[in-house]
Amino acid sequence: MEYTSGAASWQKAMRRAVAALLPRRPRQRRPGWSIGVPLIAAAAGLLFTTTATTAGGTALREDRRPELTQLIEDRRERVAASELRAARLRAEVESQTAALADTDGPISAERDRARASELSAGFTALTGPGVTVELDDAARRSDGTLPKGATNDDLVVHQGDVQAVVNALWAGGAEAMSIMNVRVLTTSAVRCVGNTLLLHGRVYSPPFKIVAIGDPAALQQALAGSEGVRLFKQAVEHYQLGYSEQVSTVSVPAFEDSTALRSATVPR
C-alpha cells in the first residue's frame, strides 16, 4: 500500500512539472462581434431611414431610359412645331412684302436685289449633275463578336469622316450640297453625338447621305485626294464600314435654317 500511494504521488508531481513546461493558451478576448453588431444594426437602420426619406415613395434605381426617350420625343415635336410656325411667319412676311412692293419703289428695288442673291446664298433648290456619297457603320455580327483587333469605336462613322467628305466636295468645286436631304452651306457645322449626326438642331442616324452638285469628275478627284477620305476607305477594308460614290443627276433643297447674322468680320 505504501508503494502504491508513493507511485500516485510521483505521477501527480510529474504531471505538474510537465504542465509547467508547456506554454499556456492565451486568454480568449471578448469577441468583437458582441460590440460591432449593435453599431452595424444602428448604421443600417439610419441608412434605410435616409433612403426611404430621399425616395419619397419612388424607386431610386428605376430605369430612366423611357423617361429620356420621352424627353427626346417631346423636344423633337417642339422643334417641328417651331419650324412650322417659322415657315408660316416667313410666308406672311413674303406676302406683305410683295403687297408693299407693288406700291413702294424702294421696297420693290430691295426685294429684287435680295432675290438676285438667293441662288448664291443657298435659298433656292437646285438640280444638276453631281455626286452622292454614303457613309455607314459596319454591320454587327450575329454572334456579337468584333473583328480581330477592332473596338466598337472602329466600327462607326465619326464626325471627322463626314467632315472629310464635305470638305473634299467643297474643295472640288461643289456648287450646292445637302446632308441627309438638308441643305448645308460652307458655314454649316457638322457634329456627331455618339454615332448620330446633329445637323441644324436635328439628329440623324447612319447611313449618312451627302449630295453635291458640280462637275462629277472634279468632285471625285477631290474625294480621291483627300487624306481623311483615304483613311476612312482603309477602315472600310479592315472593318467593313460602308462607303459608296455614285454619279448622277441630283437635287438639293433650299436652305431653311435661320438666316440671323451671329457674327461678322470687317475686311482690312
Side-chain angles (χ1 to χ4, degrees):
M1 294 295 295
E2 293 179 357
Y3 174 79
T4 303
S5 177
S9 299
W10 180 82
Q11 290 178 351
K12 290 180 180 180
M14 288 297 296
R15 282 197 295 267
R16 286 196 297 268
V18 172
L21 294 176
L22 292 176
R24 295 184 178 181
R25 294 179 60 186
R27 296 180 60 185
Q28 293 184 349
R29 297 180 180 179
R30 189 179 181 184
W33 279 106
S34 61
I35 300 175
V37 168
L39 295 177
I40 294 174
L46 178 61
L47 177 61
F48 293 150
T49 303
T50 304
T51 302
T53 303
T54 304
T58 62
L60 288 177
R61 297 180 63 85
E62 183 179 3
D63 189 355
R64 299 188 181 275
R65 283 176 294 180
E67 180 181 343
L68 179 59
T69 301
Q70 184 60 43
L71 177 61
I72 294 174
E73 186 61 30
D74 291 343
R75 292 297 175 88
R76 285 180 177 175
E77 292 178 358
R78 289 185 183 182
V79 170
S82 297
E83 289 179 345
L84 289 176
R85 182 171 179 271
R88 288 195 296 266
L89 292 174
R90 284 195 297 267
E92 291 179 8
V93 170
E94 181 63 24
S95 176
Q96 294 180 15
T97 302
L100 289 173
D102 293 338
T103 59
D104 192 308
I107 290 180
S108 179
E110 289 299 319
R111 186 177 181 225
D112 293 339
R113 187 171 69 88
R115 283 183 171 177
S117 303
E118 285 182 351
L119 181 62
S120 58
F123 295 103
T124 303
L126 294 177
T127 298
V131 174
T132 299
V133 179
E134 191 169 288
L135 310 176
D136 198 3
D137 294 345
R140 299 293 180 179
R141 294 183 175 182
S142 58
D143 58 1
T145 60
L146 301 177
K148 185 177 180 180
T151 65
N152 289 321
D153 202 46
D154 297 321
L155 306 181
V156 298
V157 180
H158 294 280
Q159 174 179 323
D161 303 324
V162 178
Q163 193 67 63
V165 172
V166 171
N167 290 344
L169 292 173
W170 285 129
E175 301 172 11
M177 192 183 308
S178 68
I179 303 175
M180 304 301 285
N181 203 36
V182 176
R183 182 69 173 268
V184 295
L185 308 177
T186 54
T187 55
S188 297
V190 178
R191 297 187 179 93
C192 284
V193 181
N195 68 329
T196 60
L197 179 68
L198 179 62
L199 184 64
H200 295 175
R202 288 191 173 186
V203 178
Y204 301 91
S205 299
F208 301 129
K209 185 178 180 181
I210 306 167
V211 175
I213 293 179
D215 180 10
L219 294 176
Q220 288 191 302
Q221 183 177 1
L223 289 169
S226 169
E227 177 69 11
V229 176
R230 184 184 66 83
L231 292 175
F232 183 78
K233 288 182 178 179
Q234 289 181 356
V236 170
E237 296 179 1
H238 294 157
Y239 307 121
Q240 288 72 55
L241 283 87
Y243 179 88
S244 65
E245 291 180 22
Q246 182 180 358
V247 175
S248 63
T249 299
V250 296
S251 298
V252 296
F255 182 75
E256 296 181 351
D257 196 25
S258 173
T259 58
L261 183 64
R262 295 183 176 85
S263 63
T265 302
V266 178
R268 296 180 180 179

